[in-house]
Amino acid sequence: MDNASIEAAIAGARLTVDLGAIADNWRLLNDMSGNAECSAVVKANAYGLGIEQVVPTLWKTGCRTFFVALPEEGIRTRKIAPDAVIYILAGFFPEALETYRRYKLRPVVNAEIDVWLKAVGDEKLPYAIQLETGMNRLGLPIPDYHGLLASDALDGYPPSLLMSHLACADTPADALSGIQNRAFKPAVEARTGTVASLANSAGIFLGSDYHYDLVRPGIALYGGACTADALLKNPMKPTIKIESRILQIKSAAPGETVGYGGAETVLPSTHDMSGRRILATIASGYADGYIRSAGSSDIRKGAFAAWRGHQVPLLGRVSMDLTTVDLTDHPDVDELAGCDYQNEWIELIGPNVVLDDTATIAGTIGYEFLTSLGNRFHRIYTNDI
C-alpha cells in the first residue's frame, strides 16, 4: 500500500476539500467586486483547509494578492506563490525585519508606524497602513494619519495599501458600516493614488460603495455564510465534507443516559417492542475540532449528523475523541445488523449537514468550526483546477 492508502485505512475521520468550489467562489466574488481587485484571505491555514493546497488553486484561478495573519503564514504562502503580493495583518515585528525583507512580506502597520519607518530607513519596503474607523481593534487613528500627511512624513514613502476593517458588515442593516465608510472615504481622498481597501467577505455584499480598489474575502471563499441574509440563502458553494468512521453500534434502553455527565436520557422508540434505540459511536470529537457545544442534552438538543443522506441527531455530549448519534429512525437502520459497520461513515459537515446550521446550533459561527479542524483528519483534495 502507498502512504495515501495507509493513511486512509487507519483514519478515524476524513476531511474532503473541494478546491474547485473554492475557485468558483473566488470567481463569483471577483465578479461581484466590479473593478476592484479581488484578493484572498488565507490566514489560519486557509481557514483550516490548508495554505499549501488552497493558495495554488487561487493563484491559478487569477488571485494575485493574499492576506495572512502572521509572518509564519506569509513564509508558507511565499514558498508556493513566489510572485504574489502578501500582506501580514498582524503588522510589523521589529526583530523579524530580515524575514519580512527576505520573503517580501508587507506588514499592515497600525499605531506602530513610526517603528516601521525607522526600521526600514531609506530601504522603502512596501507596506500597508490600517486605519481605525470604528472597530477599535487594530488601526492607526485617522487624526494621526492626517498628521503624518501634514508632516510630509509619507511624501517619499507612501504605503502600497490603505485599509480598514468593517465590524458589522455581516449585519447589513447595522449603521456602523456606513459610519466606518464615511470615516474611511476622506482619508482615501486625502492621498490619491494609494490602493484602498475596506470590504471583507460581507463588505462585498454591501455594494460598490464599499469596494474601493481591492476587496478581501475570507470566509465566503470557503463556503461560509458571511451575512445574516446569506444564512437564509448562501450563494457560495460548500467546500468541505467531514466524515467519521462508525466504531460501534449498540442499543440503549429507555431511561438510560448517554455520554459524560449522563447529559441526555434515552427516550422510548417505536422501532421494536422493547423501545430501545440504536446508537452509533463515531471516531470524532472536540480534539478534531468538532466543537463540544454541538452536543445534545435533555435541556438543549444538539446538532445533526447524516448517514446515507439522511440526517440523524447527536445524542449526549461531544467528548474528546468520540461522539454518539442516534440512528433509530433512519430508514436503513435494520441493515446494520448484518453489515460491516466499521466501513460505514457518518457525515458531520457536508451536503446533508450545512456548516453554518451546525455552527448556529453550537452557539458559534462557521469560522470557528473551520479554523478548529484538527490534524487527525485524513485529508482529501478534489477538483483541483
Side-chain angles (χ1 to χ4, degrees):
M1 296 176 69
D2 58 24
N3 287 340
S5 298
I6 293 171
E7 290 176 6
I10 64 176
R14 59 196 182 198
L15 166 63
T16 302
V17 180
D18 186 340
L19 295 172
I22 294 174
D24 287 343
N25 286 341
W26 184 87
R27 292 188 189 100
L28 174 60
L29 294 164
N30 184 53
D31 290 344
M32 292 177 61
S33 301
N35 293 326
E37 177 187 354
C38 188
S39 68
V41 180
V42 294
K43 62 183 180 177
N45 196 29
Y47 283 55
L49 304 190
I51 281 178
E52 284 73 17
Q53 292 77 25
V54 170
V55 168
T57 294
L58 290 171
W59 179 266
K60 286 183 285 187
T61 307
C63 183
R64 294 294 178 263
T65 301
F66 298 88
F67 288 81
V68 296
L70 298 166
E72 177 271 333
E73 297 172 329
I75 293 169
R76 291 169 59 192
T77 302
R78 174 62 67 209
K79 288 179 177 178
I80 52 180
D83 297 321
V85 173
I86 302 171
Y87 285 101
I88 309 300
L89 291 166
F92 173 55
F93 302 168
E95 66 273 27
L97 176 60
E98 178 54 34
T99 297
Y100 287 79
R101 179 187 294 116
R102 177 181 177 185
Y103 292 98
K104 300 179 182 179
L105 306 179
R106 302 185 182 191
V108 179
V109 297
N110 301 287
E112 81 280 15
I113 186 168
D114 290 342
V115 177
W116 168 253
L117 295 175
K118 181 178 179 180
V120 297
D122 295 329
E123 198 169 357
K124 297 184 179 179
L125 301 174
Y127 71 105
I129 292 177
Q130 180 167 209
L131 298 180
E132 168 54 54
T133 57
M135 191 169 191
N136 283 315
R137 194 173 63 171
L138 285 176
L140 179 71
I142 287 179
D144 292 356
Y145 174 68
H146 285 296
L148 285 171
L149 295 180
S151 69
D152 300 329
L154 302 181
D155 278 2
Y157 186 28
S160 58
L161 176 70
L162 187 67
M163 61 174 280
S164 191
H165 193 68
L166 295 167
C168 299
D170 55 338
T171 308
D174 197 298
L176 183 55
S177 294
I179 293 170
Q180 289 189 263
N181 194 17
R182 289 190 291 275
F184 185 61
K185 193 180 293 288
V188 173
E189 294 170 346
R191 186 172 188 95
T192 59
T194 298
V195 174
S197 177
L198 180 62
N200 52 8
S201 288
I204 293 172
F205 285 80
L206 292 178
S208 60
D209 195 43
Y210 290 81
H211 293 169
Y212 291 91
D213 304 302
L214 181 144
V215 297
R216 312 186 309 273
I219 188 65
L221 290 171
Y222 310 105
C226 60
T227 72
D229 292 341
L231 286 172
L232 301 176
K233 185 174 176 57
N234 185 359
M236 314 313 299
K237 289 185 177 180
T239 63
I240 66 167
K241 181 165 66 172
I242 300 173
E243 300 166 288
S244 186
R245 189 190 299 271
I246 294 178
L247 300 179
Q248 182 176 340
I249 300 292
K250 65 170 298 177
S251 66
E256 294 181 351
T257 60
V258 177
Y260 282 120
E264 187 157 16
T265 305
V266 175
L267 299 176
S269 80
T270 57
H271 184 68
D272 60 37
M273 294 295 292
S274 70
R276 299 178 72 87
R277 302 196 77 84
I278 309 300
L279 311 182
T281 301
I282 61 175
S284 294
Y286 57 77
D288 302 291
Y290 192 74
I291 297 172
R292 186 174 181 269
S293 57
S296 189
S297 71
D298 291 335
I299 298 172
R300 185 189 67 84
K301 298 306 177 185
F304 286 86
W307 179 49
R308 297 185 180 181
H310 295 269
Q311 286 195 344
V312 289
L314 269 60
L315 203 62
R317 292 179 182 171
V318 174
S319 53
M320 184 181 293
D321 313 298
L322 304 169
T323 300
T324 300
V325 296
D326 185 354
L327 301 182
T328 309
D329 297 323
H330 193 286
D332 296 342
V333 68
D334 290 333
E335 296 182 21
L336 290 169
C339 78
D340 180 7
Y341 59 75
Q342 288 186 311
N343 285 324
E344 294 282 337
W345 296 76
I346 298 291
E347 176 190 322
L348 293 174
I349 300 291
N352 302 292
V353 186
V354 177
L355 167 68
D356 292 289
D357 290 347
T358 301
T360 299
I361 292 170
T364 184
I365 53 178
Y367 301 71
E368 184 176 9
F369 257 99
L370 286 177
T371 59
S372 297
L373 296 175
N375 297 321
R376 297 194 296 195
F377 290 110
H378 172 56
R379 290 179 174 239
I380 303 166
Y381 291 89
T382 64
N383 298 322
D384 196 6
I385 62 173

